[in-house]
Amino acid sequence: MRNIFLGSLAMVLFASAAQACETAALGDLAIGDAWSRATIGATRPAVFYVAITNAGAQDDALTGITTPAAAMAMLHETVVKDGVASMPHAMRVQVPAGQTTELAPGGYHGMLMQLASALNEGDSFPVTLTFEKAGEVTVNVDVLSLRSEGPTCDDAS
Ligand SMILES: [Cu+2]
């Protein structure tokens, strides 16, 4: 039993890049393009980016994220005021009906602190998103290179 458990855990934490760009459905929400960047060591926080499409008629909101990859995961917003960037904690990220909301470089993002281990390019790990109305869904996050600006998910190959 022990070996079976360890084997499946390893698959979750180190699933291959074949899962890149998969989309998870939760009611009227489609959650896709989940990615992160490789980290140098485990002491600095990692980022989490994702695209959420709300095809329904009701507004929703992302209220939190959790992951076994980090002891502490928060939603942040990047705000530049008078040329100075800061990252206040975002209690909720609006997911308006009929729109795609992105957590992306320069805007809203997930911040993963106290990493269990460094993130290496090619790894993937699960993140569970909690929505005010739709509930919870878990997506696989692909770890891209240190300088990546995002996945290329329209690649049909
Ligand atoms: Cu941040």
Side-chain angles (χ1 to χ4, degrees), residues 36-41 45-47 118-122 143-147:
S36 181
R37 282 199 192 96
T39 63
I40 300 170
V47 291
L119 302 182
N120 297 304
E121 185 176 354
V143 180
L144 306 181
S145 76
L146 264 173
R147 289 194 205 138

Side-chain angles (χ1 to χ4, degrees), residues 76 87 109 111:
H76 280 178
M87 296 197 300
H109 57 276
M111 203 99 241

Side-chain angles (χ1 to χ4, degrees), residues 13-39:
L13 292 176
F14 303 109
S16 79
Q19 289 176 320
C21 306
E22 68 182 29
T23 300
L26 176 69
D28 290 323
L29 304 180
I31 297 95
D33 295 9
W35 65 286
S36 181
R37 282 199 192 96
T39 63

Side-chain angles (χ1 to χ4, degrees), residues 4-133:
I4 291 168
F5 173 74
L6 288 175
S8 55
L9 183 67
M11 276 178 66
V12 168
L13 292 176
F14 303 109
S16 79
Q19 289 176 320
C21 306
E22 68 182 29
T23 300
L26 176 69
D28 290 323
L29 304 180
I31 297 95
D33 295 9
W35 65 286
S36 181
R37 282 199 192 96
T39 63
I40 300 170
T43 53
R44 302 270 301 167
V47 291
F48 167 67
Y49 300 123
V50 70
I52 304 155
T53 299
N54 183 351
Q58 229 187 12
D59 294 344
D60 206 333
L62 176 64
T63 56
I65 53 171
T66 57
T67 175
M72 196 173 163
M74 291 173 83
L75 295 170
H76 280 178
E77 182 178 10
T78 301
V79 177
V80 181
K81 196 183 177 198
D82 299 329
V84 179
S86 63
M87 296 197 300
H89 178 202
M91 295 304 290
R92 58 210 297 284
V93 178
Q94 296 284 359
V95 181
Q99 292 184 32
T100 295
T101 301
E102 288 195 337
L103 273 61
Y108 286 110
H109 57 276
M111 203 99 241
L112 312 179
M113 288 157 282
Q114 300 168 36
L115 293 175
S117 62
L119 302 182
N120 297 304
E121 185 176 354
D123 287 353
S124 89
F125 61 91
V127 165
T128 300
L129 298 88
T130 302
F131 293 93
E132 208 164 70
K133 291 172 186 150

